[in-house]
Amino acid sequence: MKVLIVGGAGFIGSTIASACLDAGITPVILDSLVTGRREFTEGRVFYEGDIADGTLVDRVFTEHPDIDAVIQCAALIVVPDSVADPVGYYEANVAKSLDFVGHLLRNGCPRMIFSSSASIYRANDDLTVDEESAVEPLSPYARTKAACEAMFADIAATRPLRVLSLRYFNPIGADPKMRTGLQLPRPSHALGQMILAQEDGVPFRVTGTDYPTRDGSGIRDYVHVWDLAAAHVAALRAFDTLLAGATTSTAVNLGTGTGTTVRELLDAFNSVTDAPIASVDTVRRPGDVVGAYTRSDRARELLGWQPRYSVADGIRDSLRWAALRGEILAG
């Protein structure tokens, strides 16, 4: 099997590519390197460019006519940045995705797995969601994901394309073999900020302490990025069974089913590191929400997938990657 991974030089896309290689699936990478890293493409078939570049996409399919499916990971993903620059986010995440689907249709590629987000949901009062929960995205980033899902479903209903949207919860960790990891030197998510606080010798900032959770801090479903990657391999293998007959598009949550608050994440961080950090309480950031976690078994039922790694495993692998990042990534 051969799969085209667009955005395959980013954190999640490159980890999916590693999982594919380990499973005997050949990844072909297309990435603009706006946020991705060239180092993550070494030893892999790689095309540098934009998903909206029809000539380039045509070239990829001409040179690799045996591509069986596409995994669409190409997107901008930082919530506060989407609040500051919604035009840029809608252009990168929605407009270019529409162009890309046109290129897929022209090249006769009928299978697409879309990297979506659990941020599109409106959580229930107990802060859990499943695939039937109401869609109510609360940031421009989340709205771009919801818009893409709806757009892809509309297209799949009338054109030779089937789409599986995998709704990620909150990825942490790194490739356990340390081939790839988070490429950003100063990530904005909670675990990344904890690692930076430790490196800088400053307290970690708990952004928002008045949420309706058990300790007032936001809650997330932290899932190891290697588990996410394994889910994509499972999805590739189950694709034709999942999307058969009249079913042209569907969605599956990828989470652990356990909610972890920011304060609990900090406690877990301090339990696995030799240099615990303190914290200070601060106000919410633009676009921040209380969060949610999945209660769905659809991934297990449809993909035969369930997470293997714990939050502590994700923290340990994130710390291992942070220590190696400067050696692996130049600049």
Side-chain angles (χ1 to χ4, degrees):
M1 178 182 288
K2 184 178 286 186
V3 59
L4 172 61
I5 306 176
V6 298
F11 171 41
I12 296 175
S14 64
T15 310
I16 294 169
S18 294
C20 285
L21 283 167
D22 290 356
I25 299 169
T26 301
V28 176
I29 309 302
L30 171 61
D31 198 296
S32 66
L33 301 183
V34 170
T35 59
R37 297 296 303 227
R38 191 178 300 277
E39 296 92 333
F40 292 165
T41 70
E42 292 178 4
R44 302 170 184 186
V45 179
F46 172 56
Y47 294 83
E48 182 178 353
D50 198 285
I51 64 171
D53 184 342
T55 300
L56 177 58
V57 175
D58 290 348
R59 178 185 156 205
V60 171
F61 278 96
T62 297
E63 295 178 0
H64 300 275
D66 52 343
I67 288 173
D68 297 290
V70 169
I71 300 175
Q72 208 301 52
C73 298
L76 300 177
I77 63 169
V78 180
V79 170
D81 289 353
S82 78
V83 176
D85 181 23
V87 172
Y89 267 66
Y90 276 98
E91 179 180 12
N93 293 2
V94 181
K96 290 186 178 183
S97 289
L98 177 58
D99 288 340
F100 180 63
V101 169
H103 307 329
L104 294 186
L105 292 170
R106 183 173 62 253
N107 283 282
C109 183
R111 304 176 186 90
M112 182 169 72
I113 296 173
F114 175 55
S115 297
S116 191
S117 171
S119 64
I120 70 173
Y121 288 122
R122 182 181 72 209
N124 293 328
D125 291 341
D126 64 358
L127 302 181
T128 66
V129 295
D130 62 22
E131 289 85 355
E132 305 307 319
S133 294
V135 171
E136 190 178 286
L138 297 178
S139 70
Y141 160 71
R143 283 189 281 274
T144 66
K145 289 296 185 179
C148 280
E149 281 202 27
M151 177 174 73
F152 295 152
D154 286 343
I155 294 169
T158 61
R159 303 296 295 275
L161 179 71
R162 290 171 291 164
V163 182
L164 171 61
S165 294
L166 297 180
R167 294 171 178 169
Y168 305 165
F169 280 75
N170 296 79
I172 58 173
D175 176 353
K177 296 180 181 179
M178 295 292 112
R179 289 169 289 189
T180 60
L182 193 65
Q183 74 272 34
L184 301 175
R186 302 193 70 82
S188 61
H189 62 70
L191 179 54
Q193 288 292 303
M194 289 176 193
I195 294 172
L196 289 174
Q198 185 184 66
E199 292 174 349
D200 296 342
V202 299
F204 167 71
R205 294 162 60 89
V206 180
T207 53
T209 60
D210 58 348
Y211 291 111
T213 62
R214 49 187 168 264
D215 60 22
S217 63
I219 196 165
R220 301 290 186 270
D221 189 332
Y222 294 103
V223 57
H224 199 293
V225 68
W226 193 249
D227 280 327
L228 282 183
H232 287 74
V233 172
L236 286 169
R237 290 175 169 160
F239 194 99
D240 287 342
T241 301
L242 276 174
L243 291 152
T247 302
T248 58
S249 63
T250 193
V252 175
N253 286 350
L254 295 182
T256 65
T258 300
T260 302
T261 69
V262 174
R263 295 192 195 278
E264 290 166 347
L265 183 68
L266 179 60
D267 289 342
F269 180 91
N270 284 336
S271 73
V272 302
T273 181
D274 295 330
I277 57 174
S279 66
V280 294
D281 295 346
T282 64
V283 298
R284 305 179 188 184
R285 302 170 303 172
D288 277 350
V289 297
V290 58
Y293 56 100
T294 187
R295 62 173 181 272
S296 172
D297 290 325
R298 186 178 289 185
R300 178 179 54 78
E301 294 165 355
L302 299 184
L303 305 181
W305 173 88
Q306 57 186 12
R308 297 173 47 216
Y309 292 89
S310 67
V311 169
D313 292 330
I315 294 170
R316 289 189 190 96
D317 284 340
S318 293
L319 287 166
R320 289 173 59 212
W321 172 256
L324 293 171
R325 182 188 176 281
E327 301 173 18
I328 296 173
L329 301 183

